[in-house]
Amino acid sequence: MYPRLGVNIDHVATLRQARKTVPYPDPVQAAFIAEQAGADQITVHLREDRRHIQDRDLKLLRETIQTRLNLEMANTQDMVKIALYLKPFGATLVPEKREEITTEGGLDVMRHQESLARTANLMKEAGIRVSFFIDPDLDQVRASHKAGAEAVEVHTGKYCEAKSLDEEDSEFQAILGSVRAGKKLGLKTYAGHGINYHNLKRLLQIEDLEEYNIGHSIIARAVFVGLEAAVREMIVLIRSKG
Ligand code: PXP
């Protein structure tokens, strides 16, 4: 089985929200095109400040997506309520700060063990696959398992943005170690953040990575070649296994 590609379409909504007064480009249309191009999953982050994806988008996506809908969300009462009502295929719990441009780091699972465990339990009871977005750190992997996560999405941002080969190597090793540790504990293991058509190649060496959630690089490429081609190119890479 090839790893799955989850296409994050937040940036389509960002472009629409830049004008606020127009209904395009529509992330719902983007999801349809991405699925037709072979995406295995559509990922969206409903942020508390609604800076890109809107409640209307999420509702329509829930009704129209034919593959899997993965909702990235902060662990807040409001978001948990929305997830339990909409019941997406999966929910990825992420830390969220209003001032950040994008999700900056992984969850501190040790620090928020109790409330994360409570949310994980609610999600599982509702039949939603619950994943924790964490830095590549063994303690966070173990804490995620303890808190009842079914999957961990390992934050690949530092690897992807490494400024030297040494830094890239050490970040890669950290991801590899975390994925292996997660697998041993029975967790599903995913990767996301900052992944593009180049830095993906090395990640593909990690056998146990089952899913990649990729947004910015695909939407950026779509500006030049169209969304369908941009998604297809990423799928070809994933299936070539580097
Ligand atoms: N996975 C998670 C948990 C994220 O928060 C994001 C960014 O929204 C992504 C994947 C996609 O990151 P990028 O847009 O850098 O590909």
Side-chain angles (χ1 to χ4, degrees):
M1 278 292 278
Y2 294 111
R4 289 185 298 276
L5 172 63
V7 176
N8 181 315
I9 54 171
D10 293 349
H11 292 286
V12 176
T14 300
L15 191 55
R16 177 190 61 193
Q17 298 310 113
R19 279 291 166 90
K20 293 205 168 70
T21 52
V22 296
Y24 60 82
D26 192 334
V28 180
Q29 193 178 355
F32 180 78
I33 294 169
E35 284 189 322
Q36 292 298 307
D40 303 292
Q41 166 165 288
I42 302 298
T43 294
V44 287
H45 186 174
L46 184 69
R47 292 188 74 104
E48 286 175 284
D49 63 9
R50 305 297 196 270
R51 69 172 74 155
H52 39 57
I53 293 294
Q54 305 295 305
D55 296 77
R56 164 266 183 207
D57 302 329
L58 189 58
K59 183 170 171 290
L60 287 176
L61 289 166
R62 177 66 184 89
E63 286 171 12
T64 55
I65 280 176
Q66 296 169 56
T67 56
R68 299 174 173 201
L69 174 62
N70 173 36
L71 174 63
E72 290 177 7
M73 52 177 270
N75 182 26
T76 63
Q77 268 190 355
D78 281 354
M79 286 298 153
V80 170
K81 215 165 121 190
I82 291 171
L84 293 178
Y85 173 71
L86 280 177
K87 292 198 174 50
F89 175 88
T92 304
L93 300 180
V94 300
E96 195 174 300
K97 288 193 227 118
R98 276 188 187 253
E99 64 276 17
E100 69 193 359
I101 293 174
T102 179
T103 316
E104 280 170 0
L107 289 168
D108 188 343
V109 185
M110 278 87 84
R111 191 158 162 214
H112 303 288
Q113 186 89 29
E114 249 178 59
S115 71
L116 286 167
R118 221 176 304 125
T119 301
N121 197 35
L122 287 171
M123 296 288 176
K124 280 193 280 187
E125 277 176 6
I128 302 167
R129 181 179 289 174
V130 60
S131 170
F132 290 1
F133 184 53
I134 55 167
D135 288 330
D137 177 295
L138 296 181
D139 289 334
Q140 298 292 354
V141 175
R142 290 186 202 107
S144 300
H145 177 250
K146 210 166 138 200
E150 293 169 282
V152 285
E153 180 171 331
V154 178
H155 192 315
T156 48
K158 281 197 178 146
Y159 157 79
C160 293
E161 286 154 27
K163 298 277 181 293
S164 67
L165 284 178
D166 280 354
E167 194 189 343
E168 187 192 298
D169 280 345
S170 78
E171 290 301 329
F172 178 81
Q173 292 306 328
I175 296 168
L176 181 64
S178 301
V179 169
R180 284 189 178 151
K183 217 60 232 171
K184 262 199 196 142
L185 291 167
L187 293 166
K188 297 178 193 306
T189 46
Y190 312 152
H193 213 285
I195 300 174
N196 62 34
Y197 297 85
H198 306 289
N199 58 32
L200 170 67
K201 291 177 189 155
R202 193 167 181 194
L203 293 174
L204 290 168
Q205 294 169 12
I206 306 178
E207 283 289 320
D208 289 325
L209 274 177
E210 298 168 41
E211 179 180 301
Y212 296 92
N213 285 298
I214 308 179
H216 189 264
S217 63
I218 292 178
I219 305 305
R221 178 110 183 104
V223 172
F224 299 112
V225 302
L227 184 56
E228 183 163 348
V231 171
R232 279 195 206 285
E233 285 175 18
M234 197 59 92
I235 292 172
V236 167
L237 271 182
I238 290 177
R239 300 206 170 162
S240 74
K241 276 274 190 185

